[in-house]
Amino acid sequence: MNIGAALLAFGLPIAPGLRVLILCLGALVLAAEYFNTAIERVVNHLSPGQHPLAKAAKDAGSAGVALTAGAAGVAWVFALWGLL
C-alpha cells in the first residue's frame, strides 16, 4: 500500500468506515500487484518466446491490478467528494 495514501487517509477528516475501506482497498491493490508479478515471472519462465496464451495471462494479471486500483480510486473520489 502506498504509505502516502495511508497517511493521507488518516490525516483527512473522513468517516471511519470510508477510511477502513480505503486502507483495505490499498492493501488489495498491493496484493494484486504481487499476484501480477508472480504471473509474469512464471509466464516468462515457461514461455520465453511470444505466445498468445502467455500474452493473455499477462493481460489478465494487469487487468486485475487495474480493477482493484479503480475500486480504490472510486473510494478516494467519494472520500474527497464528502470533504467539499
Side-chain angles (χ1 to χ4, degrees):
M1 178 176 8
N2 186 336
I3 300 216
L7 291 174
L8 188 60
F10 279 111
L12 292 174
I14 58 177
L18 194 52
R19 181 176 292 121
V20 168
L21 177 65
I22 287 171
L23 294 173
C24 288
L25 286 171
L28 284 177
V29 170
L30 184 60
E33 286 283 3
Y34 284 134
F35 293 144
N36 187 39
T37 300
I39 289 168
E40 287 188 0
R41 288 182 179 180
V42 168
V43 167
N44 288 341
H45 177 72
L46 296 177
S47 179
Q50 298 266 338
H51 193 280
L53 291 177
K55 181 183 180 325
K58 288 182 174 186
D59 288 346
S62 295
V65 172
L67 283 173
T68 55
V74 168
W76 270 111
V77 166
F78 277 100
L80 296 175
W81 185 266
L83 296 176
L84 297 178

